[in-house]
Amino acid sequence: MTVLIGPAGSREMAFASIESGADEVYVGLLHWSLRSPCFEMGINQLRQVNDYAMSRGVAMRVALNTYPWEDDLLEFDREIARLRDIGISSFILADIGSIYSMHKDYPDVFIQASVAADVRNMDDVRAFEVAGADSVTLLRPAPGFVRKVKQETGMKVEVFAYGYLNYTYRARCYISSYLRHAYTSGPSSREQASGSFNREGFCNRACKCHWTITDGHPEVEGVTMNSYPFVTIADLIELLRAGIDGLKIQGRENSIDVVTEAIRLYRQILDGYRQDPAGFTIPEVTAESAYRIDRIRHREMKSRSAVMIREMLGVTPDASNRVQRNR
Amino acid sequence: MRSIMQQDFRLATEVATIKRLKDLDFTVFNRVYLGNPFCLDFRENLLAVDNLSEAIRLVNDAGACPIVSLVAMPANDQLPLIDELIEVGLAAGTGGFEAHSVGVLHRLSERKDVYGLTIVAGGFSNIYTRRTAILYAEKGATLLVPNYELPWEAIESITAANPGPLEILIHGKIPLGLSDSCLLVERSDDLGTKCPDSCLSDLWLEFHKWSLKSFGKLTSSGKDLCLLPEMPFFWAKSIRNFRIAGVAEKPETLNEVGQVYRDVLESLQKSTAVPAYIPEQVRMASRYGLCNGYLYGRSGCDWVEQHLQAT
């Protein structure tokens, strides 16, 4: 059975995801989940969401999918211990060293290799399985790839309902920190490294800037490093038949309206498929809704990117200094 | 020809084609990474296999160590090529292989026939902590390239865990991003050049005060990383493996810049004084100037006159 996994960029979004039909929700732990702190949660909020989710029979998983640095390891271990203390047993990690370490310390927990783990082929899947991951997140995989993972490994597979194929591979991009990188003391004991996507998720979105290709004289102006939005809807039936275990709705940074609409739509699809796997087709009107939701989401992301670029250029204050409202 | 066998350091660079390899000065470099692992479309890329055996022989004959740089982030349909490169490399007598992804490293770890060779976990393999370094070492990596973003303190913490020797990128364009596509190819109609000629043209990306180099499916820094002033510090810290980024460079530039570093390393080996300035030819080799990279915990493109102090 394919579960529907909804985002929880805030407590309100978590509740809305659950009410809209998500089987699971994912939450980013404050400072550890590749998002701005205002889309993450501290332990107290996280506990409230977990309690609510449990009362509704919904599972929760927590993302700590930054690439921790050496100085972070002690704090990383403490955070994991705290999360275990409040009953969290499902995690999203990207760094294979962290996965390996967590699996050794807590062999019973469920570990999802994040999309930021950049799993691109069967060898990657096997490497993460050996390290202790239970599941991988694949970005727009071919159904054959999913089938092969299911047949040849013990790994679960999750895919995104929609998202972006960025110009650069997710965790293999240091352009942002090359251009602007600063350490700031945040409210946590952990020093924040704004600009480093892998460490903080504070990507400056340099790929969305208007670059000029030049050989000394401008040759082409207004060049952006294009990312390609995708909606899985056209391939979804094949992916379901291939045996995907989870369908993930992106959107911790999006508005609650967009997220809830997306969850309701994909809930309908998964329920329809479950009733008649052989005969189910996605109605055209449903596909159109999926594309419309993605367009709205795309607009929201563009305006967020504009904010990040202004911050990089020093036009507006750095996001890393914002009040941590979710603590 | 200078003996390079008695030196207890390795100065490495990267060469993508047989033509460039023939112009490389092996009295300067004693480890050579073969192929452009970031873009298989690169003209005459050694990873197209045809010339790989000859390249390995050339490097071996020169008394240096050839390392086959395997496709950095392969898709499923490129895994057979990885196997082929390993087979060709082994048959030709390669000194080792470089892997940038955990999957390729995993594939190497399952082959007994690579035991005893140098297995390099490359800069894109995201070694941020000792945990990942130790995991890779357990998988058979014998030389580890820490992530380019790391400041010295983090690199030193990794060395403290003793996962094996580290190789530090000390000069050249910092690899900053890998892609499925190439900006220059996307804009080939506007530019009037097509792949595989586009990335051989003198084309750069500029925005605001920043510059980047789009080199096939690799985006790298516009400025050249230069850690020449830190060589005595690295030496004092027992770092002995160094790399000059070479995939995007002409051999004459590599030879000239590499010679400066080699002279410094030989002086350090002999415990003689090294110059405290950056020679003009190093500065002149870079169109957009020099940067310190991430070593001091600043933006990668910054340049500050600062030195780490060995205690």
Side-chain angles (χ1 to χ4, degrees), chain A residues 68-70 77 95 100 121-124 167-169 171-172 174 177-178 181 183 198 212 214 216 228, chain B residues 74 76 103 107 124 126 128-132 138 147 149 157 176 178-180 204 206 287 294 297 299 301:
Chain A
W69 292 14
E70 199 59 38
D77 291 346
D95 172 40
Y100 183 58
N121 60 52
M122 282 302 296
D123 282 354
D124 292 339
Y167 177 72
T168 47
Y169 303 146
R172 266 73 182 180
Y174 323 118
S177 58
Y178 173 74
H181 186 39
Y183 290 88
N198 278 0
T212 298
T214 176
Y228 299 94
Chain B
N76 272 314
R107 175 162 290 229
F124 274 113
N126 275 348
Y128 282 94
T129 65
R130 68 180 75 188
R131 285 179 181 167
T132 307
E138 286 177 7
N147 186 276
E149 279 190 321
S157 299
L176 296 176
L178 285 176
S179 313
D180 274 329
W204 303 78
E206 289 180 355
R287 176 178 182 140
Y294 301 89
S299 306
C301 67

Side-chain angles (χ1 to χ4, degrees), chain B residues 269-289:
Chain B
Q269 191 173 17
K270 287 184 275 188
S271 300
T272 55
V274 297
Y277 60 91
I278 296 171
E280 202 53 26
Q281 65 263 41
V282 174
R283 292 186 185 278
M284 293 300 288
S286 176
R287 176 178 182 140
Y288 286 94

Side-chain angles (χ1 to χ4, degrees), chain A residues 133-145:
Chain A
D134 300 285
S135 176
V136 285
T137 314
L138 302 178
L139 259 185
R140 208 182 179 188
F145 184 14

Side-chain angles (χ1 to χ4, degrees), chain B residues 28-98:
Chain B
V28 171
F29 297 102
N30 50 7
R31 178 182 288 139
V32 184
Y33 289 89
L34 298 172
N36 179 344
F38 311 117
C39 187
L40 289 176
D41 296 327
F42 186 74
R43 184 187 284 282
E44 297 171 6
N45 192 346
L46 287 168
L47 300 191
V49 173
D50 295 351
N51 296 321
L52 185 58
S53 298
E54 187 191 350
I56 290 168
R57 184 183 54 74
L58 268 172
V59 180
N60 274 327
D61 288 351
C65 178
I67 306 282
V68 178
S69 208
L70 298 168
V71 184
M73 295 287 287
N76 272 314
D77 60 3
Q78 291 170 323
L79 293 180
L81 174 62
I82 300 285
D83 273 337
E84 191 182 358
L85 290 166
I86 295 171
E87 296 296 338
V88 171
L90 288 170
T94 187
F97 297 96
E98 180 180 41

